[in-house]
Amino acid sequence: DQQVKQNSPSLSVQEGRISILNCDYTNSMFDYFLWYKKYPAEGPTFLISISSIKDKNEDGRFTVFLNKSAKHLSLHIVPSQPGDSAVYFCAASALSYGQNFVFGPGTRLSVLP
Amino acid sequence: NAGVTQTPKFRVLKTGQSMTLLCAQDMNHEYMYWYRQDPGMGLRLIHYSVGEGTTAKGEVPDGYNVSRLKKQNFLLGLESAAPSQTSVYFCASSFQTGRVPEAFFGQGTRLTVV
């Protein structure tokens, strides 16, 4: 049973509009969350993170929201650009797991010109 | 600054053959990891190391062995490859801190077992 779920395998958005990628988790012990972006034939690269003591973290065009009661986080990209087209992985960890992350299956984002 | 380097990038093995994947990092990171990525499964942790000379099992360790003889290198071995081990393998590294930092990933190794 997956502890971190990304229920949308793919998402298409028009350039300039907002992209919203969702992630749900089942383990209430998770207290740190990250988003990674992955281009084809490359390794994942870190995008943005959020600790459970916050409900929002912004970095330029990227904002991550955390709803602990719903065990849900989302990544907002505004405005979306064609270069944002990639697979986005949500990852979660708990202090009791040390530095080991549990990854979701990923969402493929396509930003259309 | 090369970051995390994996060799080889591609490999085809016959069932029963053995091979070693090499991961090297030049960031002086304490933690190193081996993941596999399969369609619809995300990245799953195979083994990890919290420092030179130490290794530990992750979520899917069966059929793999690892060694961390030098701080900058983390080797993943397949003693007798099986078709189920066809996957893309990623190595990653991170600093040891009191809180969880992000990991830096290599470019991946695409392994096919026929």
Side-chain angles (χ1 to χ4, degrees), chain A residues 31-32 36 43 89 99-101 104, chain B residues 31 42 48 95 99-101 103 106:
Chain A
D31 59 0
Y32 196 77
Y36 280 86
F89 292 100
Q99 297 198 54
N100 296 333
F101 289 95
Chain B
Y31 282 61
Y48 65 100
F95 281 115
R99 198 52 191 107
V100 184

Side-chain angles (χ1 to χ4, degrees), chain B residues 42-61:
Chain B
L43 286 89
R44 292 182 293 168
L45 185 64
I46 304 171
H47 285 279
Y48 65 100
S49 168
V50 302
E52 181 179 325
T54 71
T55 63
K57 295 180 180 180
E59 180 186 356
V60 288

Side-chain angles (χ1 to χ4, degrees), chain B residues 84-98:
Chain B
S84 61
Q85 294 177 303
T86 293
S87 188
V88 180
Y89 292 85
F90 288 100
C91 176
S93 69
S94 65
F95 281 115
Q96 179 187 21
T97 67

Side-chain angles (χ1 to χ4, degrees), chain B residues 3-54:
Chain B
V4 179
T5 303
Q6 292 181 233
T7 52
K9 290 185 171 47
F10 303 94
R11 186 72 185 268
V12 178
L13 282 181
K14 293 183 178 179
T15 298
Q17 286 185 320
S18 63
M19 78 162 294
T20 300
L21 281 68
L22 172 64
C23 177
Q25 53 96 2
D26 60 3
M27 295 173 284
N28 201 34
H29 286 168
E30 289 289 341
Y31 282 61
M32 296 188 74
Y33 317 81
W34 276 106
Y35 290 91
R36 59 178 288 174
Q37 184 195 4
D38 301 294
M41 300 290 289
L43 286 89
R44 292 182 293 168
L45 185 64
I46 304 171
H47 285 279
Y48 65 100
S49 168
V50 302
E52 181 179 325
T54 71

Side-chain angles (χ1 to χ4, degrees), chain A:
Chain A
D1 186 30
Q2 287 187 336
Q3 297 188 72
V4 178
K5 303 176 184 180
Q6 295 176 256
N7 292 323
S8 298
S10 62
L11 174 69
S12 292
V13 171
Q14 209 68 35
E15 181 179 3
R17 305 295 292 270
I18 183 171
S19 295
I20 300 176
L21 293 89
N22 294 306
C23 177
D24 297 287
Y25 60 96
T26 57
N27 190 338
S28 59
M29 297 297 292
F30 287 144
D31 59 0
Y32 196 77
F33 306 89
L34 295 84
W35 285 92
Y36 280 86
K37 180 168 72 173
K38 184 184 178 303
Y39 293 119
E42 296 184 9
T45 55
F46 170 73
L47 188 59
I48 192 169
S49 64
I50 188 166
S51 165
S52 61
I53 63 173
K54 295 184 175 181
D55 55 15
K56 176 182 174 181
N57 189 26
E58 285 182 86
D59 185 1
R61 297 186 296 113
F62 302 91
T63 303
V64 56
F65 295 91
L66 175 62
N67 183 333
K68 290 185 289 292
S69 60
K71 296 191 181 69
H72 176 83
L73 64 157
S74 60
L75 175 68
H76 293 210
I77 306 174
V78 184
S80 300
Q81 300 174 354
D84 296 329
S85 296
V87 177
Y88 290 78
F89 292 100
C90 171
S93 76
L95 200 57
S96 55
Y97 290 169
Q99 297 198 54
N100 296 333
F101 289 95
V102 179
F103 282 81
T107 296
R108 183 178 301 278
L109 173 66
S110 299
V111 180
L112 308 174

